[in-house]
């Protein structure tokens, strides 16, 4: 039995005695009451112990779940950054290889489109590098928020995280634009 419940039980018992008109409590009755109370506390202790163990296990499970979810978020964020970098770098390499072999067969507009496409891929790679840095800053803010229990750090982490997400999404948009430009360039090719 917890201390609050114990005090409440004693208060209730004394209140019952006063309500029955008892102004004094004999030593024998008080000892009997305390013995009964002690037995009730002993009987309730295994249940209280089991409840504490259950709460402890539940808290540990919740903590492990939170850690796994956090790892999952980190892993998927890293995978998104790697995929974006791979797509951008692979696109730039492919476009450079294509430019090296096809530039003689392109009009000036085609060369201009290829130059724009390469610029967009370079900009995308730069955004991915920034997104990686912003991801680190966001995690640093979240760690500070946990350490200091500050909502300001958590809000800063959220804002920085969304900036990083925006950079990655912008990279994908730039890559799509590059693909559209490359498609237009292919239409400009004159067979030799």
């Amino acid at each position: 039995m917890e201390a609050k419940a114990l005090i409440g039980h004693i208060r209730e018992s004394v209140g019952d005695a006063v309500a029955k008109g008892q102004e004094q409590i004999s030593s024998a009755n008080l000892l009997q009451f305390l013995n009964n109370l002690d037995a009730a506390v002993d009987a309730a202790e295994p249940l209280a112990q089991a409840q504490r163990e259950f709460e402890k296990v539940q808290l540990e499970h919740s903590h492990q779940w939170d850690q796994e979810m956090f790892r999952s978020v980190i892993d998927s964020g890293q995978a998104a950054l790697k995929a974006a970098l791979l797509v951008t770098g692979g696109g730039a390499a492919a476009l450079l290889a294509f430019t090296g072999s096809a530039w003689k067969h392109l009009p000036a507009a085609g060369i201009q489109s290829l130059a724009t496409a390469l610029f967009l891929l370079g900009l995308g790679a730069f955004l991915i590098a920034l997104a990686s840095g912003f991801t680190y800053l966001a995690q640093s803010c979240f760690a500070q928020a946990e350490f200091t229990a500050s909502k300001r750090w958590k809000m800063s982490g959220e804002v920085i995280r969304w900036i990083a997400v925006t950079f990655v999404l912008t990279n994908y948009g730039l890559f799509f634009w590059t693909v559209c430009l490359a498609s237009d360039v292919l239409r400009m090719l004159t067979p030799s």
Side-chain angles (χ1 to χ4, degrees):
M1 193 177 282
E2 292 187 22
K4 268 294 205 203
L6 188 61
I7 291 170
H9 183 68
I10 293 171
R11 183 174 284 128
E12 183 182 323
S13 297
V14 170
D16 287 345
V18 170
K20 291 179 184 175
Q22 268 186 302
E23 292 184 13
Q24 296 179 353
I25 298 174
S26 71
S27 300
N29 285 347
L30 182 59
L31 279 174
Q32 181 62 38
F33 173 76
L34 290 175
N35 287 339
N36 291 343
L37 195 57
D38 192 34
V41 167
D42 286 345
E45 184 56 33
L47 182 61
Q49 180 66 26
Q51 181 66 29
R52 285 190 295 271
E53 285 299 316
F54 176 75
E55 289 171 358
K56 183 179 170 184
V57 168
Q58 192 174 23
L59 186 62
E60 179 65 27
H61 174 73
S62 174
H63 177 70
Q64 287 176 358
W65 174 262
D66 289 345
Q67 282 190 326
E68 284 304 313
M69 290 305 294
F70 182 71
R71 283 187 195 110
S72 172
V73 167
I74 296 276
D75 289 345
S76 36
Q78 286 177 342
L81 287 171
K82 288 176 185 176
L85 191 58
L86 231 95
V87 165
T88 302
L95 200 55
L96 280 171
F98 172 74
T99 302
S101 64
W103 73 273
K104 295 176 192 170
H105 306 287
L106 287 173
I111 303 272
Q112 182 61 39
S113 291
L114 281 175
T116 302
L118 281 171
F119 172 77
L120 293 175
L121 288 172
L123 182 60
F126 177 69
L127 287 176
I128 292 302
L130 282 178
S132 295
F134 273 75
T135 301
Y136 174 78
L137 288 175
Q139 290 309 317
S140 178
C141 287
F142 289 137
Q144 268 306 108
E146 282 294 318
F147 182 70
T148 62
S150 168
K151 290 182 181 180
R152 192 176 78 214
W153 280 110
K154 184 174 182 184
M155 181 59 101
S156 298
E158 288 291 335
V159 168
I160 293 170
R161 180 173 60 121
W162 281 108
I163 289 171
V165 168
T166 303
F167 286 162
V168 172
L169 293 176
T170 302
N171 174 64
Y172 285 130
L174 291 173
F175 184 77
F176 178 73
W177 189 5
T178 301
V179 168
C180 292
L181 284 172
S183 175
D184 288 344
V185 169
L186 285 175
R187 285 189 204 99
M188 293 179 198
L189 275 175
T190 56
S192 49

